[in-house]
């Protein structure tokens, strides 16, 4: 008679945010930790913004995420500007 051993580990884990009620599902521990940190960081950023800043921020994000090439170019411009300001 052979005994079949099963691998123990994660099937999935669900995170339920007590601040906003969001539910997020992860299939690995590393994914869960990354997702949890990103969600908490998003709350931290959001709570520092005024309602007017939030509206502007969301409008900018919507524009950037609708065009990945725009996002890439903005990051390159920001990096170049940062380099210029450091050299002066």
């Amino acid at each position: 008679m052979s005994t079949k051993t099963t691998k123990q580990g994660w099937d999935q884990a669900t995170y339920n945010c007590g601040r906003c009620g969001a539910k997020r599902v992860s299939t690995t521990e590393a994914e869960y930790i990354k997702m949890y940190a990103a969600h908490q960081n998003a709350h931290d950023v959001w709570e520092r913004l005024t309602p007017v800043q939030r509206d502007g921020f969301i409008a900018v994000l919507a524009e950037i995420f609708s065009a990945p090439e725009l996002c890439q170019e903005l990051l390159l411009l920001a990096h170049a500007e940062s380099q210029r300001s450091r050299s002066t």
Side-chain angles (χ1 to χ4, degrees):
M1 183 168 126
S2 68
T3 304
K4 185 177 180 181
T5 57
T6 57
K7 183 178 174 184
Q8 302 247 337
W10 283 62
D11 177 25
Q12 71 177 28
T14 302
Y15 168 69
N16 297 302
C17 180
R19 293 160 87 177
C20 70
K23 292 182 188 270
R24 305 286 187 265
V25 177
S26 303
T27 57
T28 67
E29 184 176 7
E31 183 182 297
Y32 181 88
I33 291 168
K34 184 177 177 181
M35 173 273 311
Y36 173 83
H39 189 79
Q40 293 304 309
N41 289 339
H43 273 291
D44 294 342
V45 169
W46 192 253
E47 290 168 3
R48 284 190 297 239
L49 300 173
T50 67
V52 171
Q53 290 171 325
R54 289 174 183 169
D55 289 346
F57 184 62
I58 293 304
V60 169
L61 286 178
E63 186 69 29
I64 290 171
F65 289 139
S66 71
E69 64 283 353
L70 172 61
C71 182
Q72 181 64 33
E73 288 300 320
L74 285 170
L75 289 172
L76 291 170
L77 284 172
H79 180 71
E81 180 65 29
S82 175
Q83 294 299 321
R84 277 193 296 275
S85 66
R86 286 185 190 152
S87 65
T88 58

